[in-house]
Amino acid sequence: MKSWPLGPPGKSQEKGLRNTVNDASKLSSEIGMNRDFRMEEKVLPPGSLEGRIRETMHDAFWDHLKERLSATPPDFSCALELLKEIKEILLSLLLPRQNRLRSEIEEALDMDLLTQEAEHGALNVPHLSKYILNMMTLLCAPVRDEAVQKLENISDPVWLLRGIFQVLGLMKMDMVNYTIQSLQPQLQEHSIQYERAKFQDLLNKQPSLLDHTARWLTRAAAQLSAPPPSGPDAADAASSPCSSPGEAASSPEPLSPTMVLSQGFLNLLLWDPEDDEFPETLLTDRARLQELEAQLRQLTILASVLLVSSSFSGSVLFGSPQFVDKLKRVTRALLEEFKSRPEEEAVLTVSEQVAQEIHQSLKNMGLAALSSDNTASLIGQLQDVARKENCVRSVIDQRIHLFLKCCLVLGVQRSLLDLPGGLTLIEAELAELGQKFVSLTHHNQQVFGPYYTEILKSLLPPAQVLETEVASL
């Protein structure tokens, strides 16, 4: 494992940590925090060079097989290799208790016997392919039934073998995912121990590895102890069961590890990309956090657009779930389309499209359309949402952050019961965001809880740290 030079961690050491944590560690982390984790076959972009090369090589192999089988006498050497591989795949799909099927496959695809048949020119490839299809029908998941049935209509032996291999590849992936789901609790525990051990190895070589993490938690504790900020949503935050960043100053409840960590995790969603002091314990999760930050920003714009639009179109349109869903789909699609461009361009297109959708929907319902003045005002207010200082956007942003803080303290389902105003129309999207955020932070606390506890001992009174062990969050 790569050792680090002494000195305060910086850009080069962040890169070192990224390089040191190998793919196995990242996969372990993903399985540990994502209960719905699934392995998926790599899909190459259409027309990509790698895709064309792969397709060319595959075509060449199957053309070669066709030539061998069509020769006089037939050359079964390639077919035997394929049958051997198919046999191994079928056996790998069996559960330990399926001994009868195991014996049956061993007997039907006895490679010594098949080799003798090939040497005498008597290898019956179509018959063996039919047996393999019957076995695939028994072993495949229901989702693959249709794919296996389609193979039964292929008469060409080479195309049939090619199709068999494609479907068997999917069945292997199904078995991997089934195994992962079955062993999820054990894999999660292994992931926690594995990641902690990897990090401890690095910490032993670089004692200052937790410096950024300590400063991250120190800033979070200082925020919670500061006077309450003034803002358009200060009243909502103060009345919420999940405190705003400054509520602790006016609350008799002392700071706890839970409060400090929750504030720290929320701060990660507002992290300045130019700030190099990203906590070391979250470096491997930085890409995931950036994805959550982008999702949060998109939801902020979406909720702001819906709130502004509802003030112009009234309760009739927004009382229709179909209309709201359509407006959400249109807005999100346009934001995705303009993801790589300035936000102002995306919002400009969104404002024009939303105004058009409202105008057309009012017309379809036989209601009075928006006047030209109202239409211009609607577009103008929607365009202004692109500014982070926009009043509506600022309120929505604070409320989404407050919701995420509630998720960390109370859980996602309880937080959804009392959504702040303006967020009810994006409840499903918030639930997805909240679940991802909670899963990531929960897994991180399970891995690095002991380190956080040691750091918090210097920030909080000893009694409070002992009462709320970080590792048990």
Side-chain angles (χ1 to χ4, degrees):
M1 185 175 292
K2 181 178 178 181
S3 59
W4 288 15
L6 294 177
K11 279 188 175 179
S12 61
Q13 293 183 337
E14 175 177 330
K15 182 179 179 182
L17 180 56
R18 288 182 182 277
N19 292 336
T20 303
V21 181
N22 55 27
D23 289 342
S25 178
K26 292 179 181 178
L27 179 61
S28 173
S29 176
E30 186 66 30
I31 293 174
M33 74 175 66
N34 185 0
R35 294 181 181 179
D36 299 321
F37 176 84
R38 290 180 61 83
M39 295 288 288
E40 295 181 357
E41 187 177 12
K42 180 182 179 182
V43 178
L44 297 175
S48 66
L49 177 61
E50 184 180 352
R52 293 198 302 271
I53 293 174
R54 177 188 290 185
E55 188 66 24
T56 301
M57 293 179 65
H58 283 187
D59 289 342
F61 172 81
W62 293 108
D63 288 344
H64 176 70
L65 175 62
K66 188 169 187 175
E67 290 177 6
R68 296 298 85 204
L69 293 179
S70 302
T72 306
D75 182 350
F76 292 110
S77 56
C78 284
L80 284 172
E81 289 299 319
L82 290 177
L83 291 170
K84 180 180 179 181
E85 190 169 346
I86 288 172
K87 175 184 177 181
E88 292 173 354
I89 294 174
L90 290 175
L91 291 174
S92 73
L93 296 175
L94 297 177
L95 297 174
R97 63 176 181 274
Q98 294 178 304
N99 295 320
R100 184 184 63 79
L101 284 178
R102 188 178 304 277
S103 300
E104 184 181 325
I105 294 172
E106 292 280 7
E107 182 179 347
L109 298 176
D110 185 328
M111 295 312 301
D112 291 336
L113 180 59
L114 295 181
T115 301
Q116 292 179 18
E117 292 179 359
E119 290 172 352
H120 292 86
L123 187 66
N124 192 338
V125 175
H127 172 75
L128 291 169
S129 297
K130 185 172 180 58
Y131 169 79
I132 292 167
L133 282 178
N134 291 335
M135 190 57 61
M136 289 169 66
T137 302
L138 285 175
L139 298 177
C140 73
V143 70
R144 305 298 174 200
D145 285 342
E146 184 178 353
V148 175
Q149 288 172 5
K150 287 182 179 179
L151 295 178
E152 296 174 355
N153 299 323
I154 301 176
S155 56
D156 183 278
V158 174
W159 278 101
L160 179 56
L161 284 172
R162 186 170 188 169
I164 285 173
F165 263 93
Q166 289 175 343
V167 178
L168 281 175
L170 297 175
M171 292 172 61
K172 284 174 62 179
M173 199 66 72
D174 293 337
M175 177 55 74
V176 169
N177 288 322
Y178 169 78
T179 304
I180 289 175
Q181 291 299 316
S182 301
L183 300 176
Q184 190 77 9
Q186 296 92 320
L187 290 172
Q188 286 179 336
E189 180 59 30
H190 171 77
S191 170
I192 293 167
Q193 300 302 329
Y194 177 81
E195 291 180 64
R196 188 183 297 164
K198 283 282 186 182
F199 189 83
Q200 185 61 51
D201 288 342
L202 293 171
L203 187 60
N204 292 339
K205 297 174 182 178
Q206 178 60 38
S208 60
L209 184 57
L210 285 169
D211 285 1
H212 292 171
T213 303
R215 283 194 280 272
W216 164 61
L217 291 176
T218 301
R219 283 197 295 268
Q223 280 179 282
L224 291 168
S225 303
S230 60
D233 213 30
D236 286 345
S239 61
S240 169
C242 303
S243 62
S244 64
E247 184 187 349
S250 59
S251 171
E253 183 182 358
L255 292 185
S256 68
T258 303
M259 294 167 61
V260 175
L261 270 173
S262 295
Q263 185 60 45
F265 286 128
L266 283 171
N267 289 344
L268 296 174
L269 297 177
L270 300 169
W271 199 270
D272 181 357
E274 301 301 318
D275 188 345
D276 297 331
E277 295 191 357
F278 199 82
E280 300 89 347
T281 54
L282 285 137
L283 281 176
T284 55
D285 292 321
R286 190 166 192 176
R288 297 186 186 95
L289 285 163
Q290 288 171 341
E291 290 176 7
L292 291 178
E293 181 186 0
Q295 188 176 346
L296 186 154
R297 188 165 57 250
Q298 187 184 90
L299 288 184
T300 300
I301 295 175
L302 175 61
S304 301
V305 166
L306 294 175
L307 190 59
V308 170
S309 301
S310 65
S311 67
F312 280 83
S313 54
S315 60
V316 178
L317 281 185
F318 273 77
S320 167
Q322 292 80 8
F323 173 78
V324 174
D325 287 342
K326 183 178 182 180
L327 215 56
K328 287 162 66 174
R329 287 197 307 272
V330 168
T331 302
R332 297 193 73 170
L334 290 172
L335 291 175
E336 283 292 330
E337 183 180 342
F338 285 82
K339 185 182 289 185
S340 59
R341 302 187 192 179
E343 202 167 80
E344 292 78 8
E345 289 186 27
V347 177
L348 172 61
T349 307
V350 166
S351 63
E352 295 172 348
Q353 186 65 38
V354 166
Q356 183 179 333
E357 292 290 342
I358 291 175
H359 175 81
Q360 189 61 45
S361 296
L362 289 172
K363 183 178 177 181
N364 292 342
M365 297 178 71
L367 300 172
L370 294 178
S371 66
S372 56
D373 288 344
N374 281 342
T375 300
S377 179
L378 169 61
I379 292 176
Q381 290 191 35
L382 289 175
Q383 289 177 3
D384 198 53
V385 167
R387 293 190 311 108
K388 293 184 178 180
E389 301 79 14
N390 173 268
C391 183
V392 173
R393 176 169 176 167
S394 179
V395 169
I396 293 295
D397 183 64
Q398 288 186 39
R399 290 180 179 180
I400 292 180
H401 278 86
L402 188 60
F403 165 77
L404 290 174
K405 189 166 192 175
C406 287
C407 288
L408 294 179
V409 176
L410 305 175
V412 177
Q413 294 307 314
R414 284 184 61 187
S415 301
L416 289 170
L417 296 177
D418 190 24
L419 282 177
L423 302 187
T424 53
L425 293 177
I426 59 167
E427 180 177 343
E429 292 82 0
L430 283 176
E432 179 186 351
L433 175 65
Q435 190 57 59
K436 288 180 180 178
F437 189 49
V438 168
S439 296
L440 186 153
T441 57
H442 178 70
H443 181 78
N444 180 267
Q445 289 174 52
Q446 288 183 306
V447 175
F448 298 105
Y451 304 107
Y452 294 151
T453 299
E454 288 302 312
I455 294 172
L456 290 169
K457 283 180 180 178
S458 64
L459 301 177
L460 304 175
Q464 290 162 234
V465 178
L466 292 175
E467 287 174 7
T468 310
E469 284 291 337
V470 177
S472 65
L473 288 176

